[in-house]
Short mmCIF file of all heavy atoms in Angstrom, two decimals:
data_model
loop_
_atom_site.label_atom_id
_atom_site.label_comp_id
_atom_site.label_asym_id
_atom_site.label_seq_id
_atom_site.Cartn_x
_atom_site.Cartn_y
_atom_site.Cartn_z
N ASN A 263 65.51 130.03 -8.82
CA ASN A 263 64.67 129.76 -10.01
C ASN A 263 65.39 130.10 -11.31
O ASN A 263 65.09 129.51 -12.34
CB ASN A 263 63.31 130.46 -9.90
CG ASN A 263 63.44 131.96 -9.86
OD1 ASN A 263 64.49 132.49 -9.50
ND2 ASN A 263 62.38 132.65 -10.23
N LYS A 264 66.36 131.02 -11.24
CA LYS A 264 67.14 131.32 -12.44
C LYS A 264 68.03 130.14 -12.80
O LYS A 264 68.21 129.81 -13.97
CB LYS A 264 68.01 132.57 -12.21
CG LYS A 264 67.23 133.86 -12.12
CD LYS A 264 66.52 134.19 -13.42
CE LYS A 264 65.51 135.33 -13.20
NZ LYS A 264 64.56 135.44 -14.32
N ILE A 265 68.58 129.49 -11.78
CA ILE A 265 69.38 128.28 -12.02
C ILE A 265 68.48 127.22 -12.66
O ILE A 265 68.86 126.56 -13.61
CB ILE A 265 69.99 127.75 -10.71
CG1 ILE A 265 70.89 128.82 -10.08
CG2 ILE A 265 70.77 126.47 -10.96
CD1 ILE A 265 71.55 128.38 -8.78
N GLY A 266 67.28 127.08 -12.11
CA GLY A 266 66.34 126.12 -12.65
C GLY A 266 65.99 126.40 -14.10
O GLY A 266 65.89 125.48 -14.91
N GLU A 267 65.83 127.68 -14.43
CA GLU A 267 65.52 128.05 -15.81
C GLU A 267 66.63 127.62 -16.76
O GLU A 267 66.39 127.12 -17.85
CB GLU A 267 65.33 129.57 -15.93
CG GLU A 267 63.91 130.04 -15.66
CD GLU A 267 63.82 131.56 -15.64
OE1 GLU A 267 64.62 132.22 -16.34
OE2 GLU A 267 62.97 132.09 -14.90
N LYS A 268 67.87 127.82 -16.31
CA LYS A 268 69.00 127.49 -17.17
C LYS A 268 69.17 125.98 -17.34
O LYS A 268 69.49 125.50 -18.41
CB LYS A 268 70.29 128.10 -16.60
CG LYS A 268 70.40 129.61 -16.85
CD LYS A 268 71.61 130.19 -16.12
CE LYS A 268 71.56 131.70 -16.03
NZ LYS A 268 71.87 132.40 -17.30
N LEU A 269 68.96 125.24 -16.26
CA LEU A 269 69.18 123.79 -16.31
C LEU A 269 67.90 123.02 -16.61
O LEU A 269 67.91 121.79 -16.70
CB LEU A 269 69.78 123.30 -14.98
CG LEU A 269 71.12 123.90 -14.59
CD1 LEU A 269 71.61 123.30 -13.28
CD2 LEU A 269 72.16 123.65 -15.68
N LEU A 270 66.79 123.75 -16.76
CA LEU A 270 65.48 123.12 -16.99
C LEU A 270 65.11 122.17 -15.86
O LEU A 270 64.65 121.06 -16.09
CB LEU A 270 65.46 122.39 -18.33
CG LEU A 270 65.98 123.17 -19.56
CD1 LEU A 270 65.83 122.33 -20.81
CD2 LEU A 270 65.26 124.50 -19.70
N LEU A 271 65.37 122.61 -14.64
CA LEU A 271 65.03 121.80 -13.47
C LEU A 271 64.07 122.58 -12.57
O LEU A 271 64.22 123.78 -12.38
CB LEU A 271 66.29 121.46 -12.67
CG LEU A 271 67.27 120.47 -13.30
CD1 LEU A 271 68.57 120.42 -12.51
CD2 LEU A 271 66.63 119.09 -13.40
N ASN A 272 63.09 121.89 -12.02
CA ASN A 272 62.16 122.54 -11.10
C ASN A 272 62.72 122.56 -9.68
O ASN A 272 63.70 121.88 -9.38
CB ASN A 272 60.81 121.80 -11.10
CG ASN A 272 60.11 121.96 -12.43
OD1 ASN A 272 60.24 122.98 -13.09
ND2 ASN A 272 59.39 120.93 -12.82
N THR A 273 62.05 123.31 -8.83
CA THR A 273 62.57 123.45 -7.47
C THR A 273 62.48 122.14 -6.70
O THR A 273 63.27 121.93 -5.77
CB THR A 273 61.79 124.51 -6.67
OG1 THR A 273 60.40 124.21 -6.74
CG2 THR A 273 62.06 125.89 -7.21
N ASN A 274 61.56 121.26 -7.08
CA ASN A 274 61.49 119.99 -6.36
C ASN A 274 62.71 119.12 -6.62
O ASN A 274 63.00 118.21 -5.85
CB ASN A 274 60.19 119.24 -6.69
CG ASN A 274 59.97 119.10 -8.17
OD1 ASN A 274 60.78 119.54 -8.96
ND2 ASN A 274 58.87 118.49 -8.52
N THR A 275 63.44 119.41 -7.68
CA THR A 275 64.74 118.75 -7.87
C THR A 275 65.86 119.60 -7.30
O THR A 275 66.74 119.09 -6.59
CB THR A 275 65.01 118.52 -9.38
OG1 THR A 275 63.99 117.68 -9.92
CG2 THR A 275 66.36 117.87 -9.59
N LEU A 276 65.82 120.90 -7.60
CA LEU A 276 66.92 121.78 -7.23
C LEU A 276 67.03 122.00 -5.73
O LEU A 276 68.13 122.06 -5.18
CB LEU A 276 66.74 123.14 -7.90
CG LEU A 276 67.45 123.34 -9.23
CD1 LEU A 276 67.25 124.76 -9.70
CD2 LEU A 276 68.93 123.03 -9.12
N SER A 277 65.88 122.14 -5.08
CA SER A 277 65.89 122.50 -3.67
C SER A 277 66.74 121.55 -2.82
O SER A 277 67.68 121.99 -2.15
CB SER A 277 64.46 122.56 -3.16
OG SER A 277 64.34 123.41 -2.07
N PRO A 278 66.46 120.26 -2.85
CA PRO A 278 67.31 119.35 -2.07
C PRO A 278 68.73 119.24 -2.61
O PRO A 278 69.68 119.11 -1.83
CB PRO A 278 66.60 118.00 -2.19
CG PRO A 278 65.62 118.12 -3.29
CD PRO A 278 65.33 119.56 -3.47
N LEU A 279 68.88 119.32 -3.91
CA LEU A 279 70.21 119.24 -4.53
C LEU A 279 71.11 120.36 -4.01
O LEU A 279 72.26 120.14 -3.62
CB LEU A 279 70.05 119.33 -6.05
CG LEU A 279 71.17 118.91 -6.99
CD1 LEU A 279 70.62 118.66 -8.37
CD2 LEU A 279 72.27 119.95 -7.09
N ILE A 280 70.54 121.56 -3.99
CA ILE A 280 71.32 122.72 -3.55
C ILE A 280 71.57 122.68 -2.04
O ILE A 280 72.64 123.10 -1.57
CB ILE A 280 70.61 124.02 -3.99
CG1 ILE A 280 70.88 124.22 -5.50
CG2 ILE A 280 71.06 125.22 -3.19
CD1 ILE A 280 70.39 125.50 -6.07
N LYS A 281 70.63 122.13 -1.29
CA LYS A 281 70.87 121.98 0.14
C LYS A 281 72.03 121.02 0.41
O LYS A 281 72.82 121.22 1.32
CB LYS A 281 69.60 121.48 0.84
CG LYS A 281 68.60 122.59 1.10
CD LYS A 281 67.47 122.12 2.00
CE LYS A 281 66.50 123.27 2.29
NZ LYS A 281 65.33 122.83 3.05
N ARG A 282 72.10 119.96 -0.40
CA ARG A 282 73.24 119.04 -0.27
C ARG A 282 74.54 119.77 -0.55
O ARG A 282 75.53 119.59 0.14
CB ARG A 282 73.08 117.85 -1.23
CG ARG A 282 72.22 116.73 -0.69
CD ARG A 282 72.25 115.50 -1.58
NE ARG A 282 71.57 115.69 -2.86
CZ ARG A 282 70.27 115.48 -3.06
NH1 ARG A 282 69.50 115.07 -2.08
NH2 ARG A 282 69.73 115.68 -4.25
N MET A 283 74.51 120.63 -1.58
CA MET A 283 75.71 121.37 -1.94
C MET A 283 76.08 122.40 -0.86
O MET A 283 77.25 122.72 -0.69
CB MET A 283 75.53 122.05 -3.30
CG MET A 283 75.41 121.07 -4.44
SD MET A 283 75.14 121.87 -6.05
CE MET A 283 76.79 122.49 -6.42
N GLU A 284 75.07 122.89 -0.15
CA GLU A 284 75.36 123.81 0.94
C GLU A 284 76.08 123.05 2.08
O GLU A 284 77.04 123.55 2.66
CB GLU A 284 74.08 124.46 1.48
CG GLU A 284 74.36 125.62 2.43
CD GLU A 284 73.09 126.30 2.93
OE1 GLU A 284 72.06 125.61 3.09
OE2 GLU A 284 73.13 127.52 3.18
N LYS A 285 75.60 121.84 2.34
CA LYS A 285 76.24 121.02 3.37
C LYS A 285 77.69 120.70 3.01
O LYS A 285 78.53 120.52 3.88
CB LYS A 285 75.48 119.69 3.55
CG LYS A 285 74.31 119.77 4.52
CD LYS A 285 73.80 118.37 4.85
CE LYS A 285 72.52 118.46 5.71
NZ LYS A 285 71.82 117.18 5.81
N MET A 286 77.95 120.60 1.71
CA MET A 286 79.31 120.33 1.24
C MET A 286 80.16 121.59 1.24
O MET A 286 81.31 121.56 0.79
CB MET A 286 79.27 119.74 -0.18
CG MET A 286 78.59 118.39 -0.27
SD MET A 286 78.05 118.02 -1.97
CE MET A 286 79.64 117.67 -2.73
N ASP A 287 79.56 122.69 1.67
CA ASP A 287 80.26 123.97 1.77
C ASP A 287 80.69 124.50 0.40
O ASP A 287 81.73 125.14 0.27
CB ASP A 287 81.48 123.83 2.70
CG ASP A 287 82.05 125.19 3.06
OD1 ASP A 287 81.29 126.16 3.13
OD2 ASP A 287 83.28 125.28 3.25
N LEU A 288 79.89 124.23 -0.62
CA LEU A 288 80.20 124.72 -1.97
C LEU A 288 79.50 126.06 -2.23
O LEU A 288 79.95 126.84 -3.06
CB LEU A 288 79.76 123.71 -3.03
CG LEU A 288 80.50 122.37 -3.02
CD1 LEU A 288 79.83 121.37 -3.95
CD2 LEU A 288 81.95 122.58 -3.44
N LEU A 289 78.38 126.27 -1.52
CA LEU A 289 77.60 127.49 -1.76
C LEU A 289 76.80 127.85 -0.51
O LEU A 289 76.72 127.07 0.45
CB LEU A 289 76.67 127.28 -2.96
CG LEU A 289 75.81 126.01 -2.99
CD1 LEU A 289 74.59 126.14 -2.10
CD2 LEU A 289 75.39 125.72 -4.42
N GLN A 290 76.22 129.06 -0.56
CA GLN A 290 75.36 129.53 0.53
C GLN A 290 74.01 129.95 -0.02
O GLN A 290 73.93 130.52 -1.10
CB GLN A 290 76.02 130.72 1.22
CG GLN A 290 76.86 130.34 2.43
CD GLN A 290 77.18 131.57 3.24
OE1 GLN A 290 77.51 132.62 2.68
NE2 GLN A 290 77.11 131.47 4.56
N ARG A 291 72.96 129.65 0.74
CA ARG A 291 71.62 130.07 0.37
C ARG A 291 71.24 131.28 1.21
O ARG A 291 71.41 131.27 2.42
CB ARG A 291 70.63 128.92 0.63
CG ARG A 291 70.82 127.71 -0.29
CD ARG A 291 70.27 126.41 0.27
NE ARG A 291 69.54 126.54 1.49
CZ ARG A 291 68.20 126.64 1.56
NH1 ARG A 291 67.49 126.59 0.47
NH2 ARG A 291 67.63 126.76 2.72
N LYS A 292 70.70 132.32 0.55
CA LYS A 292 70.28 133.51 1.29
C LYS A 292 68.95 134.03 0.77
O LYS A 292 68.81 134.27 -0.43
CB LYS A 292 71.34 134.62 1.16
CG LYS A 292 72.49 134.47 2.13
CD LYS A 292 73.47 135.63 1.98
CE LYS A 292 74.75 135.35 2.76
NZ LYS A 292 75.85 136.26 2.38
N ARG A 293 68.01 134.22 1.69
CA ARG A 293 66.73 134.81 1.31
C ARG A 293 66.95 136.24 0.83
O ARG A 293 67.72 136.99 1.43
CB ARG A 293 65.78 134.85 2.52
CG ARG A 293 65.20 133.54 2.91
CD ARG A 293 63.93 133.21 2.15
NE ARG A 293 63.65 131.77 2.27
CZ ARG A 293 62.79 131.12 1.51
NH1 ARG A 293 62.12 131.76 0.57
NH2 ARG A 293 62.60 129.83 1.66
N SER A 294 66.28 136.61 -0.23
CA SER A 294 66.37 137.98 -0.71
C SER A 294 65.61 138.91 0.22
O SER A 294 64.60 138.54 0.82
CB SER A 294 65.78 138.05 -2.11
OG SER A 294 65.47 139.39 -2.45
N ASN A 295 66.12 140.13 0.40
CA ASN A 295 65.40 141.11 1.21
C ASN A 295 64.26 141.74 0.43
O ASN A 295 63.19 141.98 0.96
CB ASN A 295 66.36 142.21 1.68
CG ASN A 295 67.37 141.66 2.67
OD1 ASN A 295 67.06 140.73 3.43
ND2 ASN A 295 68.58 142.20 2.66
#
Side-chain angles (χ1 to χ4, degrees):
Chain A
N263 63 338
K264 290 296 168 195
I265 300 180
E267 272 174 30
K268 283 173 195 285
L269 299 181
L270 312 182
L271 290 170
N272 293 328
T273 53
N274 51 1
T275 299
L276 266 184
S277 205
L279 197 161
I280 283 186
K281 280 189 178 175
R282 276 188 290 272
M283 294 178 76
E284 191 179 32
K285 274 192 186 167
M286 296 160 73
D287 192 31
L288 294 171
L289 49 79
Q290 266 194 318
R291 292 157 6 96
K292 278 182 190 166
R293 285 273 162 195
S294 162
N295 292 329

